[in-house]
Amino acid sequence: MDESRSPGGPGRSRGPSGGGPEADALFGLEDLPGPVQAAPGGARPLVGPSFRDSPAARRLLSVREIHAEPAAAASPRGRQVLARFPEARVIEVDSHWRIPQLHGNEGNLDRWVRIKSEVLVLGEKKTLATRPNGRSADWIAPGPANGCAMACAYCYVPRRKGYANPITVFTNIEQITAHLDRHIARQGPKREPNQCDPSAWVYDIGENSDCSVDALISDNVADLVHAFARRPTAKASFATKYVNPDLLLLDPRGRTRVRFSVMPPQDSRLLDIRTSPVEERIAAAADFLEAGYEVHFNLSPVVIRPGWEQDWGLLLSHLDDVLPPAVKEQAAAEVIMLTHNRDLHELNLAWHPRAEDTLWRPELQQAKRSENGSWNVRYRNAEKARAVDTLRGLVAARAPWLRIRYAF
């Protein structure tokens, strides 16, 4: 490989040493103002090193290459990210969404997980739109990132980008929070309770990423948590499969809902690649509640395979055994049955075929067009209905305190 170029094709770059005057550099850190160090408002004082600097975090994200839109890289948030990974090579790109040799390049399948660990993208979110949901949340907010360093075999996000799905950090966080402030103000108080929340408008801020991982990279998530802490009529919400203790240092004041996704550990070990163990997610619930978060659970995804009923029963019994009363009193859950996709099936066959033995079950599944127009594969109606009823029965028997907000 020509080391003067990125795997993403031609582009000006800054090598690990910064290069000399003759280097065709996009920029060097020495040419930019210093990174923004101001802590997000409401953050608790940091005692000792942060988790984002720990060996565990570095194993998940050992960034060596950053593809950056120039304006994103020059922004305060962009400078923060670049300063966090000073040894990374920086490659200028015109668009965070179109990096030809990164997105849509089938050859990247051999480096599927490595790219997630070693590559970041910096861009500005051009279209700021909040759209209605009504299931998990009232609204889907414009998120602070897209993509993930983890590699869950059933994740729908990589289908859109194709063959590589590293994290894209959106650096125009001030515009995102200002957009949300205006949207929340227009809604006024919530007048009628619904399955999302009895009194607050709920905004999902992590539809296309995992906010716990995003918080290892920049203060985007901290800024959003702080913004919602000042909004008595609204709550932020995000699902996560990663335990990031740094989030405990924020001051959410009950206005951010963390939904820990859980499934039987044997399913997670096969399907939830590079995530925190399920037991750790469950154990973290009490700490997050004490820190001021609302804590819910996603029973997700429910994968039908031999013995699934017994293993879900054991998981629910574990929840009942280890969670303290304070967590149980405020907890609620979403039940989400597996949704799969033929393109994702083909992609997985190239890097993790064992997962497809469990995920791809044509004898149980049917095609269904999703809201965005793509064709997905879901369990057949009768099969899904039986599974949902079974899981509801298991919850009633093993964890009767766990209110199911909705099942999908």
Side-chain angles (χ1 to χ4, degrees):
M1 179 186 299
D2 181 356
E3 291 300 327
S4 68
R5 294 179 179 270
S6 77
R12 291 174 286 167
S13 66
R14 186 229 329 141
S17 63
E22 67 280 3
D24 188 15
L26 166 59
F27 45 72
L29 287 179
E30 67 277 5
D31 299 323
L32 293 174
V36 175
Q37 298 292 350
R44 296 175 179 144
L46 181 64
V47 179
S50 64
F51 177 75
R52 68 165 63 171
D53 294 321
S54 69
R58 294 292 185 182
R59 283 194 297 272
L60 185 70
L61 278 166
S62 53
V63 176
R64 300 182 180 182
E65 186 174 284
I66 300 175
H67 298 257
E69 296 174 355
S75 69
R77 189 50 37 90
R79 298 200 306 271
Q80 181 192 46
V81 175
L82 292 173
R84 171 146 179 71
F85 302 103
E87 299 302 315
R89 186 160 54 107
V90 181
I91 301 106
E92 178 181 329
V93 296
D94 294 330
S95 168
H96 68 83
W97 188 252
R98 293 185 299 276
I99 306 175
Q101 297 305 312
L102 187 63
H103 304 148
N105 176 12
E106 188 172 359
N108 283 328
L109 278 174
D110 292 339
R111 303 173 63 241
W112 178 253
V113 173
R114 183 177 174 186
I115 287 174
K116 286 173 168 291
S117 174
E118 297 182 355
V119 177
L120 284 181
V121 180
L122 297 182
E124 293 185 331
K125 197 171 185 69
K126 306 300 192 296
T127 302
L128 299 180
T130 295
R131 42 180 229 280
N133 179 252
R135 289 176 180 158
S136 177
D138 294 292
W139 306 95
I140 303 297
N146 181 289
C148 192
M150 299 183 292
C152 300
Y154 47 81
C155 180
Y156 65 90
V157 177
R159 298 201 308 260
R160 296 188 64 197
K161 290 185 176 180
Y163 306 118
N165 185 40
I167 296 172
T168 297
V169 178
F170 296 124
T171 61
N172 54 328
I173 188 64
E174 298 90 349
Q175 294 177 25
I176 293 172
T177 54
H179 165 87
L180 286 169
D181 280 343
R182 293 190 297 269
H183 193 278
I184 293 167
R186 286 197 300 270
Q187 305 316 306
K190 193 174 194 177
R191 293 178 174 82
E192 296 182 3
N194 61 11
Q195 69 180 21
C196 303
D197 193 86
S199 60
W201 297 109
V202 180
Y203 290 74
D204 193 322
I205 62 171
E207 182 190 32
N208 292 317
S209 68
D210 189 304
C211 289
S212 296
V213 177
D214 299 338
L216 298 175
I217 302 168
S218 78
D219 288 337
N220 275 2
V221 174
D223 288 347
L224 287 170
V225 169
H226 173 58
F228 276 90
R230 297 181 284 106
R231 289 293 183 178
T233 62
K235 288 179 182 177
S237 178
F238 64 88
T240 184
K241 303 182 188 74
Y242 193 78
V243 179
N244 180 353
D246 287 347
L247 296 179
L248 300 174
L249 300 173
L250 308 181
D251 187 16
R253 304 177 190 177
R255 311 313 298 176
T256 293
R257 174 185 294 165
V258 176
R259 292 149 30 227
F260 286 105
S261 293
V262 297
M263 63 169 64
Q266 52 268 60
D267 284 343
S268 181
R269 286 190 290 269
L270 176 66
L271 305 174
D272 282 355
I273 309 302
R274 312 189 83 224
T275 64
S276 297
V278 170
E279 296 86 351
E280 288 186 16
R281 304 176 210 171
I282 296 170
D287 291 335
F288 274 77
L289 181 66
E290 184 178 356
Y293 292 91
E294 185 178 48
V295 177
H296 286 191
F297 297 95
N298 280 10
L299 310 184
S300 166
V302 179
V303 179
I304 298 176
R305 44 85 176 163
W308 73 271
E309 303 97 325
Q310 177 182 358
D311 291 334
W312 273 96
L314 292 173
L315 174 67
L316 292 164
S317 293
H318 178 68
L319 286 167
D320 188 53
D321 289 341
V322 304
L323 292 176
V327 173
K328 295 178 180 180
E329 288 166 5
Q330 56 83 66
E334 303 168 13
V335 175
I336 305 173
M337 302 297 296
L338 172 71
T339 297
H340 204 23
N341 176 278
R342 180 174 289 278
D343 291 340
L344 183 59
H345 167 64
E346 296 296 332
L347 186 154
N348 284 346
L349 288 176
W351 78 276
H352 190 21
R354 281 207 314 121
E356 289 307 296
D357 293 340
T358 298
L359 298 176
W360 190 253
R361 301 285 303 280
E363 73 279 10
L364 302 178
Q365 294 165 327
Q366 63 186 6
K368 184 174 182 179
R369 189 177 293 277
S370 70
E371 293 178 356
N372 65 15
S374 64
W375 282 100
N376 293 331
V377 175
R378 297 173 180 167
Y379 294 120
R380 294 173 184 168
N381 294 342
E383 192 74 42
K384 178 178 177 179
R386 282 194 295 269
V388 169
D389 287 345
T390 296
L391 196 56
R392 284 186 182 274
L394 289 169
V395 170
R398 305 292 184 95
W401 45 268
L402 186 58
R403 175 173 59 91
I404 296 177
R405 289 202 297 113
Y406 84 100
F408 175 65

